[in-house]
Amino acid sequence: QVQLVESGGGLVQAGDSLRLSCAASARTFNTYVMGWFRQAPGKGREFVAALTWSGGRPVYADAVKGRFTISRDNAKNTVDLQMNSLKPEDTAAYYCAAGGRALGPMTSETKYNLWGQGTQVTVSS
């Protein structure tokens, strides 16, 4: 059925930039918010950024605020994450997720019911 596919990850040095993209094979009517989460080896999944599909002010984790920017393209059913000034602490698998309108805050992974397979971001010092 509907799938989310992330792309744009890679190996970079500290201070470099990457742009991740999340493409939906199809958009369902119930999709309300698109979010980015990340998970490093041995650590839990953490919230990165989120944006409602119809617009509004984006939400960012404190760790990435001022460095990362989430954006959307409704016509293409894509959501991007521009990552600037990357740090080794940003190293993780990054996951795109889609959530509904009714339940949970955008910062909580329980809000989301559709997940991509992830794209690896590795930042060397």
Side-chain angles (χ1 to χ4, degrees):
Q1 200 183 348
V2 179
Q3 295 183 357
L4 301 178
V5 180
E6 304 95 336
S7 62
L11 173 62
V12 299
Q13 294 183 335
D16 287 351
S17 298
L18 282 174
R19 188 176 185 89
L20 306 183
S21 182
C22 173
S25 60
R27 182 172 176 231
T28 66
F29 178 80
N30 289 327
T31 299
Y32 171 70
V33 60
M34 300 295 296
W36 286 95
F37 290 77
R38 66 186 184 185
Q39 186 169 22
K43 296 183 178 180
R45 187 178 300 167
E46 66 173 338
F47 171 78
V48 176
L51 182 70
T52 58
W53 193 251
S54 59
R57 189 174 300 278
V59 178
Y60 297 97
D62 289 342
V64 306
K65 193 173 300 182
R67 299 187 297 119
F68 291 10
T69 302
I70 187 171
S71 61
R72 60 176 168 82
D73 188 331
N74 290 3
K76 298 180 180 179
N77 290 336
T78 57
V79 177
D80 290 354
L81 185 69
Q82 178 66 43
M83 305 185 296
N84 298 328
S85 301
L86 283 164
K87 306 175 180 179
E89 306 93 271
D90 297 318
T91 296
Y94 283 71
Y95 298 89
C96 178
R101 179 186 298 270
L103 300 176
M106 289 187 291
T107 56
S108 174
E109 60 182 303
T110 62
K111 176 75 170 179
Y112 304 87
N113 50 31
L114 181 64
W115 295 81
Q117 294 300 306
T119 184
Q120 180 67 38
V121 173
T122 302
V123 184
S124 62
S125 59

